[in-house]
Amino acid sequence: QASRHEFFVFPKSTWGSCQALSATPTPSTMAKCVLLFASAVASMAGATTVEGWTYNPESPSEPFDNVAETVTGMIHNYVPVDRQDDGWQGRFCSCMENGHISSWYQYASAMYLIDTCNPDTGLILRSGHLQDRHTEPLEGMMACDTLKLISYCLSHHAQEALPTWKNTCSNAHYTVPACDVDCSGATHTFGQVGLMAAALAAVTAFMGQLA
């Protein structure tokens, strides 16, 4: 399966043309080279397609509202989860409420974005806090960490829900710039943020011993 992270590879003809032009560099030949590269980029960008969620102005929706609705459906079993009723919903919500995500210039409680999470109500997110994630890098980090947290908690407390979750997570993922979430939640390893949190906890404990 091809990777969805694609990189431009310029045709050899473009490289060859520019090499020939640069043999006698002048403002005119450099301008021609720039135009050749611009043309190559434009042609490849036009041929590139991106899978996943796309905005439809006739039926506007917020993918992170769909995230909360899907998780709530799984908690209430409106969206079937092939797992015995062993109280996983409560453990999942406890995991969510005790999770941490990137926040405004600090690593903070996920409760900044979680309005409610319990077996009776389901999951309610303050998705309005993420509406500028396309232009605000910190909001993008919050959004990405929220997807990571849900994937993590499901992978630990209801792995059977991951195939259903993956599609919804992927659709939201495509609206978050530079997000590296693994929506399958296949591994129980620390990500970069998790390592930072662990390092911070170790430093805090060490400083406490010195005090």
Side-chain angles (χ1 to χ4, degrees):
Q1 183 178 359
S3 171
R4 291 176 182 173
H5 299 281
E6 301 183 7
F7 299 88
F8 288 134
V9 178
F10 292 105
K12 290 183 179 179
S13 59
T14 303
W15 284 114
S17 299
C18 278
Q19 286 175 341
L21 290 170
S22 62
T24 54
T26 66
S28 176
T29 57
M30 294 304 293
K32 289 179 181 178
C33 188
V34 170
L35 288 174
L36 281 171
F37 276 98
S39 176
V41 171
S43 63
M44 286 184 288
T48 302
T49 58
V50 179
E51 301 178 30
W53 180 85
T54 54
Y55 178 72
N56 181 358
E58 296 181 358
S59 180
S61 64
E62 165 54 66
F64 275 83
D65 287 340
N66 296 338
V67 163
E69 290 170 3
T70 297
V71 173
T72 296
M74 292 189 291
I75 289 175
H76 291 159
N77 207 34
Y78 302 146
V79 177
V81 175
D82 186 18
R83 182 185 178 89
Q84 63 178 340
D85 187 9
D86 60 353
W88 70 265
Q89 298 92 335
R91 295 193 297 275
F92 166 80
C93 281
S94 178
C95 177
M96 290 290 296
E97 291 174 343
N98 286 284
H100 285 71
I101 61 173
S102 298
S103 188
W104 295 108
Y105 307 104
Q106 61 181 337
Y107 195 55
S109 170
M111 294 305 293
Y112 174 74
L113 289 179
I114 299 173
D115 179 271
T116 305
C117 188
N118 60 59
D120 295 326
T121 305
L123 176 65
I124 300 175
L125 295 176
R126 300 184 179 98
S127 58
H129 292 347
L130 304 175
Q131 63 183 355
D132 294 324
R133 60 186 178 275
H134 310 282
T135 56
E136 290 286 348
L138 289 175
E139 286 193 21
M141 293 171 65
M142 290 181 210
C144 189
D145 279 1
T146 299
L147 296 178
K148 289 181 179 180
L149 179 60
I150 295 174
S151 299
Y152 174 87
C153 291
L154 284 177
S155 72
H156 279 72
H157 301 292
Q159 282 189 328
E160 297 83 356
L162 287 174
T164 300
W165 159 247
K166 187 177 186 301
N167 185 54
T168 301
C169 175
S170 295
N171 286 338
H173 168 210
Y174 293 126
T175 71
V176 183
C179 180
D180 61 347
V181 61
D182 176 9
C183 291
S184 69
T187 57
H188 294 181
T189 58
F190 280 114
Q192 182 178 7
V193 175
L195 289 172
M196 291 172 61
L200 179 60
V203 171
T204 301
F206 178 72
M207 294 301 292
Q209 292 178 352
L210 295 179

